[in-house]
Amino acid sequence: SNTDGVGLGYGIPISEDRSLSFGLAYERIELQVNAITGSKVAQDFVDANGDTNSVFKATIGWTRDTLDNPLFPNSGTQHRVSVEASVPGADLEYYRLSYAASAYVPLTKTITYKLKASFDYGDGYGSTDVLPFYKNFYAGGSSSVRGYRARSLGPTDIGGPDPTLTIGGSKRVLGNTELLFPFPGMGDNKAMRLSVFVDAGMVYAAGTTVDLLELRYAAGLAFNWFSPIGPLSISYALPLNDQPGDRTESVQFTLGQAFR
């Protein structure tokens, strides 16, 4: 794919812990799909909508954040709601809705319990039947369900040249619970800490229902460090209910992604 675009966004604080965001952008997306080796989901999309599409899209978001620390929170909550939608009359008409919430509860002076969940949904409207496949949601990896390879959970390209290829989906459910504590021997070091966690999540295709029995779970240990080059995280996780065909990965590493 080749994408050209330009956009403008604003963030507006409306109280001490609440803010709104607005954005408007133009995107032109050109898809190049091989008729023999290209994925079925991409070929079907190009057949229905052409290989080049232009859209104006608007975004709006609301955030309430009472966390006590932007780096390593110990108490407070955070709620985020966001909507992305193409303007009616564009080549593609679609929308994406997302909600995420997290809570930090201090159990002792140094130990914190964290609970986080998020829900995402997208679809087409008007002349577009489904959410464009390149706007799908994905799960698996260090930012969602550790212990599974990045973007490996959910629907696959059935009927295509590689039926094991994960293509994402229009619905996603994620959950995470963690016990956060200081790194042993580091005293009151504010730049690093450990956690034991359980992650859960799954992605679902358009036209299917959200079945929580299909959620994948993993448990493990993570080390988070605000290093001189940015936030660094290393985790070791074991899948708890992986199924045949799932792609697992115990050790995962990220750099530059916020811990919360």
Side-chain angles (χ1 to χ4, degrees):
S1 64
N2 294 318
T3 304
D4 299 307
V6 60
L8 183 66
Y10 289 96
I12 304 172
I14 56 177
S15 73
E16 183 178 354
D17 56 21
R18 293 175 175 84
S19 63
L20 291 173
S21 61
F22 303 92
L24 185 65
Y26 167 80
E27 287 184 347
R28 181 182 182 275
I29 301 171
E30 179 185 0
L31 302 173
Q32 300 173 0
V33 182
N34 187 292
I36 298 175
T37 61
S39 65
K40 184 176 186 301
V41 66
Q43 293 188 48
D44 290 347
F45 180 85
V46 169
D47 289 344
N49 302 282
D51 60 5
T52 302
N53 292 281
S54 298
V55 299
F56 281 96
K57 66 175 184 179
T59 57
I60 183 171
W62 174 86
T63 301
R64 181 178 185 269
D65 189 335
T66 64
L67 300 181
D68 65 338
N69 188 299
L71 180 60
F72 284 132
N74 293 300
S75 65
T77 61
Q78 185 181 69
H79 298 268
R80 290 183 176 178
V81 179
S82 64
V83 179
E84 174 188 332
S86 63
V87 176
D91 291 348
L92 301 174
E93 296 174 316
Y94 72 90
Y95 62 90
R96 294 175 13 130
L97 312 173
S98 296
Y99 170 71
S102 60
Y104 291 78
V105 181
L107 302 181
T108 70
K109 187 176 180 180
T110 58
I111 299 176
T112 301
Y113 174 68
K114 172 190 173 185
L115 185 64
K116 183 177 181 180
S118 65
F119 308 92
D120 305 278
Y121 180 81
D123 202 355
Y125 73 93
S127 61
T128 305
D129 294 332
V130 296
L131 181 71
F133 73 95
Y134 49 82
K135 294 290 184 177
N136 280 349
F137 302 102
Y138 289 86
S142 56
S143 62
S144 55
V145 187
R146 288 163 283 192
Y148 297 86
R149 291 188 185 180
R151 300 163 64 96
S152 69
L153 295 177
T156 57
D157 193 44
I158 297 175
D162 180 5
T164 66
L165 175 68
T166 308
I167 58 175
S170 63
K171 298 177 283 289
R172 180 175 64 179
V173 177
L174 298 175
N176 160 258
T177 182
E178 293 191 61
L179 193 65
L180 308 161
F181 51 93
F183 192 88
M186 297 302 294
D188 194 26
N189 191 312
K190 301 296 185 182
M192 61 179 65
R193 66 180 176 184
L194 295 172
S195 71
V196 290
F197 63 83
V198 175
D199 290 342
M202 181 49 72
V203 173
Y204 304 88
T208 63
T209 59
V210 174
D211 184 356
L212 298 183
L213 295 178
E214 295 182 4
L215 291 176
R216 298 294 191 269
Y217 297 88
L221 175 71
F223 168 65
N224 297 318
W225 175 34
F226 192 73
S227 71
I229 58 175
L232 182 151
S233 179
I234 301 173
S235 65
Y236 179 83
L238 295 176
L240 300 179
N241 66 333
D242 55 306
Q243 302 297 313
D246 287 349
R247 287 170 285 174
T248 61
E249 186 177 67
S250 294
V251 178
Q252 294 176 329
F253 169 88
T254 60
L255 178 66
Q257 184 173 354
F259 300 131
R260 60 181 186 170

